[in-house]
Amino acid sequence: MQDGKNLVIAIVLCLVVIVGWSYLAEYMGWVQKPDPAVVAQQQLAREQQAQQAEAQRQAQEAARQETLAVPAFTPSSGQDITVRSPLYEAVLYSGGGALRSFKLHNYHTTIARDAPQVNMVDPQTARVAPLGLVINSQPSWSTGQWSVDAGKEGLSLEKGQQGVLRLVGQVDGLTVVRELTFSADTYLIRETVRLANQTDQARSVRLSYTVAADGSNSSGSRYDLMRVAWDNDGSLSEESSAKTLEESGVQATGKIYWAGAMSTYFLSAVLPGEAANLTVKGRLQQGTYRAAVEEPETVLAPGEQRELRVSYWLGPKVRSDLAAVSGELVKSIDLGMFHLIAKGLLWLLEFFQKYVHNWGVAIILLTVLIKAVFWPLTAKSYASMEKMKKLQPLMGNIREKYKNDKEMMNKEVMALYKTYGVNPASGCVPILIQMPVFFGLYQALLTSIELRHASFISTLPGTDLIWLADLSAKDPYYITPIIMGVTMFVQQRLSPPATDPTQQKIMMFLPLIFTVLFLGFPAGLVVYWLVNNILSIAQQKMMAKKFKTLADGK
């Protein structure tokens, strides 16, 4: 086979695998492409909230006819109850137990000093009553009458403490008791629900648990989208298309371990006590992503009671915290097909950070370690490239001699390779072998909440301009991606030139293509790739010097 064809295939394959995966996945439908309407709708909802009040009421009234839709929050007689813990401050309404607010103490919306805390239930989200129970398609928070066992001061929890809120209500002829257990050391809220039929006739009962979140939980970039997600029998499913969620919503039935609304870094989820034969429904309503988990229908005889258990997670997607809850919940952090490698790299990254106390420096140290591990393999590749350099004149002669006889040209070129023991595709082999590591690290850096608002170099040296103060966001001045493109160009110049004109054009545009692609990448990933390129250049120069010394010695 023609050597040029082999090399072109190898180069193109490397390009597709390295930088084309996410784009190819979008076009093939493996992941949802960000819908610009989401960002526009969310912005419109914030800026024109007052003007849209009447439209929202009409939309909510029409949504009553939908399976998943719920009416606007209509308070029954009650009061706001505040639960304070070292991790969060939650405000619930005693008339049903729906959340009014859920602020995270350790997370802020931006890197600004005066940035507000992340609120998992902001006023827009509160309108659809997250944590509210839907009983027989009726919103218990607006149709029932409730009492609560709590004073006006609510609950205040210190480290290691737990507290219980007990709400008792009458909903659709049923007595409903909600016991919500809050813990100071976790974002998990556990609940026991007791249903009692107080009538003299048998009653069919269907209970639904709800959670919700709006676009403020995400940055709106293609790397941090809001979505509805759920785990059905150990398999993660998600939907981020605004059009799909608005028009038809999503629905699934089966062994539902959890379901909720989430961004890359935050999760609002329902965790049913019994996973079997449940239905999850998700929808986007007025800029709010809502998910509900519906229990199977049951029949209560007169005087009969039934007890159900459920939990809720409202907080950051910290791997260790989620894993402590369940092996299924931690899957909300999608590390991709190379998740085992990603987990190992995350462990190493956290190990380095413990000592250097800077995530950017930790990424650099991890890059150096990865480069050291693959050093022998890349050295072998460079040795093959040096042999290819020496064969360039001979290959040119063969191409010129047999330019009108492709079959003979291929035979002679292959014979030349065999004589000198050269594999034309060997330069690409190390890249292909390192791909699982690259993709694992890509997912690790992309999904790790530890990098959210993590600073590397806070300000541009010599200025007060904010620079790499958030490794989960792109470089605001595109300095690192441009330098990365320059290092790719230098690498290309140090590599043997391709003899085929088509190959030369591909190689010439590669640095430019990579630079454009990396302009919007999270800064942490760009730092990794930049440092990797610098180390590769150093290795190439070392190998070139070594071969020159050997050649001079002969």
Side-chain angles (χ1 to χ4, degrees):
M1 184 178 291
Q2 185 180 359
D3 65 305
K5 182 178 180 181
N6 287 340
L7 189 55
V8 170
I9 292 175
I11 293 173
V12 172
L13 180 61
C14 290
L15 176 62
V16 170
V17 173
I18 295 173
V19 297
W21 176 263
S22 61
Y23 294 90
L24 178 63
E26 288 178 357
Y27 293 132
M28 294 298 291
W30 298 333
V31 297
Q32 294 291 335
K33 186 177 181 180
D35 190 336
V38 177
V39 179
Q41 183 184 42
Q42 293 167 354
Q43 184 67 23
L44 188 63
R46 293 188 180 91
E47 294 178 354
Q48 301 180 349
Q49 185 175 5
Q51 295 83 347
Q52 289 182 336
E54 183 61 28
Q56 288 172 353
R57 286 194 295 271
Q58 294 176 359
Q60 289 167 348
E61 182 62 28
R64 290 176 189 272
Q65 306 304 320
E66 299 286 343
T67 303
L68 184 63
V70 294
F73 186 90
T74 305
S76 57
S77 178
Q79 65 186 44
D80 282 347
I81 303 172
T82 302
V83 178
R84 299 177 179 84
S85 86
L87 300 177
Y88 58 81
E89 179 181 281
V91 178
L92 300 89
Y93 191 69
S94 64
L99 279 171
R100 300 272 212 174
S101 172
F102 200 95
K103 295 180 180 180
L104 307 181
H105 293 323
N106 299 324
Y107 297 89
H108 294 78
T109 54
T110 69
I111 59 176
R113 290 175 180 266
D114 57 348
Q117 295 173 342
V118 170
N119 190 356
M120 299 293 291
V121 181
D122 63 2
Q124 179 170 313
T125 305
R127 286 200 298 270
V128 298
L131 257 67
L133 298 180
V134 178
I135 302 173
N136 292 339
S137 301
Q138 296 190 37
S140 65
W141 56 91
S142 60
T143 61
Q145 296 298 319
W146 294 85
S147 63
V148 60
D149 293 343
K152 292 183 178 181
E153 68 279 1
L155 296 175
S156 184
L157 306 176
E158 300 296 333
K159 185 176 180 180
Q161 291 183 337
Q162 290 186 350
V164 178
L165 285 181
R166 187 172 185 268
L167 296 90
V168 181
Q170 294 290 330
V171 183
D172 192 28
L174 299 169
T175 297
V176 183
V177 179
R178 302 190 66 182
E179 290 185 352
L180 294 159
T181 301
F182 299 85
S183 173
D185 303 322
T186 180
Y187 297 96
L188 189 72
I189 302 171
R190 299 189 303 277
E191 178 178 11
T192 299
V193 181
R194 296 184 180 89
L195 303 172
N197 180 6
Q198 301 293 343
T199 69
D200 57 1
Q201 295 181 347
R203 296 292 310 277
S204 295
V205 180
R206 185 181 291 274
L207 181 66
S208 293
Y209 315 106
T210 62
V211 288
D214 79 341
S216 63
N217 277 248
S218 72
S219 65
S221 72
R222 66 187 303 268
Y223 305 106
D224 187 17
L225 286 175
M226 283 301 299
R227 69 209 79 170
V228 172
W230 62 96
D231 185 306
N232 191 344
D233 199 17
S235 177
L236 176 66
S237 299
E238 57 184 50
E239 179 61 68
S240 61
S241 169
K243 183 177 180 180
T244 298
L245 290 170
E246 285 181 324
E247 293 182 354
S248 60
V250 292
Q251 181 170 323
T253 301
K255 198 172 185 180
I256 307 298
Y257 287 106
W258 62 267
M262 71 178 189
S263 63
T264 299
Y265 303 116
F266 299 98
L267 171 66
S268 298
V270 175
L271 294 83
E274 296 291 336
N277 196 27
L278 301 176
T279 299
V280 57
K281 300 176 183 179
R283 204 174 185 88
L284 174 59
Q285 296 174 266
Q286 299 296 316
T288 300
Y289 292 76
R290 182 174 180 273
V293 175
E294 193 174 76
E295 293 275 2
E297 186 175 14
T298 186
V299 177
L300 293 181
E304 185 180 359
Q305 298 186 22
R306 185 186 178 196
E307 182 175 286
L308 300 168
R309 296 185 185 278
V310 64
S311 298
Y312 304 91
W313 179 275
L314 290 97
K317 292 162 68 173
V318 179
R319 169 165 291 278
S320 57
D321 293 347
L322 296 174
V325 175
S326 74
E328 289 77 27
L329 191 61
V330 76
K331 292 179 183 177
S332 62
I333 303 176
D334 185 8
L335 294 179
M337 62 186 300
F338 300 111
H339 58 278
L340 293 178
I341 295 175
K343 290 178 184 178
L345 294 173
L346 271 176
W347 183 87
L348 288 171
L349 194 62
E350 292 169 356
F351 174 80
F352 287 130
Q353 198 276 336
K354 288 179 182 178
Y355 291 95
V356 299
H357 305 292
N358 184 298
W359 287 100
V361 176
I363 291 173
I364 293 174
L365 292 176
L366 180 61
T367 308
V368 173
L369 177 62
I370 293 174
K371 195 66 181 176
V373 171
F374 285 104
W375 186 280
L377 187 62
T378 51
K380 186 176 181 180
S381 171
Y382 293 147
S384 179
M385 290 167 61
E386 288 295 326
K387 291 181 181 180
M388 286 289 293
K389 282 184 181 180
K390 296 179 180 180
L391 296 183
Q392 292 302 316
L394 297 177
M395 290 174 63
N397 294 337
I398 292 175
R399 296 179 192 280
E400 179 64 27
K401 183 177 180 180
Y402 298 104
K403 60 183 178 181
N404 296 322
D405 189 349
K406 297 293 184 182
E407 184 177 352
M408 192 63 188
M409 180 194 297
N410 290 339
K411 288 183 179 179
E412 289 296 320
V413 170
M414 293 304 296
L416 184 66
Y417 288 153
K418 186 175 181 181
T419 300
Y420 288 90
V422 175
N423 182 353
S426 60
C428 199
V429 171
I431 298 178
L432 294 176
I433 293 178
Q434 293 178 64
M435 283 304 97
V437 175
F438 170 74
F439 281 125
L441 185 60
Y442 173 84
Q443 286 297 117
L445 296 179
L446 200 63
T447 60
S448 177
I449 194 172
E450 288 79 6
L451 295 185
R452 180 183 181 272
H453 297 174
S455 175
F456 176 29
I457 303 175
S458 299
T459 58
L460 201 59
T463 73
D464 293 328
L465 300 175
I466 302 298
W467 190 29
L468 302 180
D470 183 358
L471 289 172
S472 69
K474 67 180 182 180
D475 184 332
Y477 305 110
Y478 306 111
I479 296 173
T480 49
I482 291 174
I483 296 177
M484 192 252 348
V486 172
T487 60
M488 286 198 68
F489 177 77
V490 173
Q491 278 187 282
Q492 185 186 104
R493 300 292 293 177
L494 293 175
S495 302
T499 57
D500 184 78
T502 302
Q503 297 176 29
Q504 291 178 0
K505 291 180 180 179
I506 293 176
M507 298 302 294
M508 180 177 64
F509 282 104
L510 275 181
L512 178 60
I513 294 172
F514 270 68
T515 300
V516 172
L517 291 176
F518 273 65
L519 288 177
F521 273 26
L525 188 64
V526 180
V527 168
Y528 160 74
W529 200 259
L530 171 59
V531 175
N532 183 73
N533 285 354
I534 293 174
L535 295 175
S536 296
I537 291 172
Q539 187 177 22
Q540 281 181 277
K541 288 190 173 184
M542 290 176 59
M543 294 299 297
K545 183 177 181 180
K546 176 181 177 181
F547 279 100
K548 186 177 183 301
T549 302
L550 292 176
D552 293 342
K554 292 182 178 179

